[in-house]
Amino acid sequence: MIIDVHAHWGPWFFTMDVAGANLSAMDRFGIDLSIVSATEAVIYDAPAGNRALAAWLEGQDRHLGYVTVNPRRQADAERDLRAYLPTGRFVGVKIHTDYTRSPVSSPQTREALAMVAQAGVPALVHTWGATVLDLAQACLDTPGLRVIAGHMGADGHAHAIEAAGACDRLYLEPCYSHAPAGRIAQVAAAVDRTRLLFGTDSTLIDPASAFGAVAAAGLDAETAELVAWRNAVRLFDLDITA
């Protein structure tokens, strides 16, 4: 069983785009379930992308959705959370701090994260470098908030280790367009293994990148199973058993 907690639906403007191979790529790598955000919602128009994803998810059995929130459009975010979370097809929230020009430390993103906490679902938040420390602080300051540090800080994985140590409601997922030697092994050795998840960044990046990086970490069998799916089942309260 493999659950991809950081995936997308829809085409990108990058040449690495593998959108047309979504299901075939999942089959090739044995990914049973992907939790996706709409590319349109992430990079352009959150309400339009969420609406299109909601319609598409109705016919899918191997995908669940993130409601994408633009922290600078709070009214839209509140409306979309009310509309889509109760459907059962959406299990979390996606916030991309760079595309929305809304750093984790900004008042707008802090307000959006408080909204997520009130909704009672996890938020996948884009982190890069030391911004994962800001996410840990926001999580500490927001009662009940659970967050996934997307890319676990990318080149700032040392900061991700510190962030996870500071807040036990912060989870890490590893997808990254580079594969520095020892990155995932270092994080796995230093962080509570029940807070490590698996993500690929598909359809932007071929899942081979994440699979190779995790394989190179040499995780023991129990940790590998937690990362592959068990931690995600618990975090998202999914009705899945072995």
Side-chain angles (χ1 to χ4, degrees), residues 3 8-9 26 41 57 88 106 157 175 185 197:
I3 298 176
H8 307 278
W9 170 72
M26 289 174 66
L57 283 173
S106 69
H157 65 277
C175 66
L197 303 165

Side-chain angles (χ1 to χ4, degrees), residues 117-202:
Q118 188 173 13
V121 295
L124 171 62
V125 182
H126 177 83
T127 63
W128 212 266
T131 63
V132 67
L133 296 173
D134 295 329
L135 183 60
Q137 189 60 56
C139 192
L140 288 170
D141 292 342
T142 309
L145 177 64
R146 294 169 295 154
V147 293
I148 304 167
H151 313 291
M152 63 184 194
D155 59 356
H157 65 277
H159 297 303
I161 293 172
E162 181 181 350
C167 180
D168 64 6
R169 288 176 282 116
L170 184 144
Y171 295 73
L172 303 176
E173 69 82 17
C175 66
Y176 184 26
S177 52
H178 301 276
R183 174 175 174 262
I184 294 176
Q186 290 170 26
V187 171
V191 174
D192 178 353
R193 63 184 182 175
T194 66
R195 289 190 283 124
L196 303 176
L197 303 165
F198 179 71
T200 67
D201 216 5
S202 174

Side-chain angles (χ1 to χ4, degrees), residues 32-103:
D32 298 276
L33 177 68
S34 286
I35 307 177
V36 300
S37 56
T39 304
E40 179 184 11
V42 171
I43 66 175
Y44 180 59
D45 186 328
N50 289 333
R51 184 167 58 250
L53 178 59
W56 181 77
L57 283 173
E58 290 181 3
Q60 304 301 313
D61 59 4
R62 294 176 61 190
H63 295 81
L64 293 170
Y66 288 110
V67 179
T68 298
V69 164
N70 183 336
R72 297 185 179 276
R73 299 177 66 176
Q74 298 279 335
D76 289 341
E78 291 178 7
R79 185 187 62 245
D80 284 359
L81 291 176
R82 287 196 304 268
Y84 301 125
L85 288 179
T87 67
R89 301 301 300 166
F90 288 81
V91 294
V93 169
K94 172 67 178 287
I95 298 176
H96 199 298
T97 52
D98 285 0
Y99 285 126
T100 61
R101 299 295 189 268
S102 304

Side-chain angles (χ1 to χ4, degrees), residues 2-44:
I2 299 175
I3 298 176
D4 183 354
V5 305
H6 190 158
H8 307 278
W9 170 72
W12 290 85
F13 51 85
F14 296 102
T15 56
M16 293 183 290
D17 182 1
V18 293
N22 180 272
L23 281 171
S24 62
M26 289 174 66
D27 289 340
R28 180 158 51 100
F29 290 98
I31 299 171
D32 298 276
L33 177 68
S34 286
I35 307 177
V36 300
S37 56
T39 304
E40 179 184 11
V42 171
I43 66 175
Y44 180 59

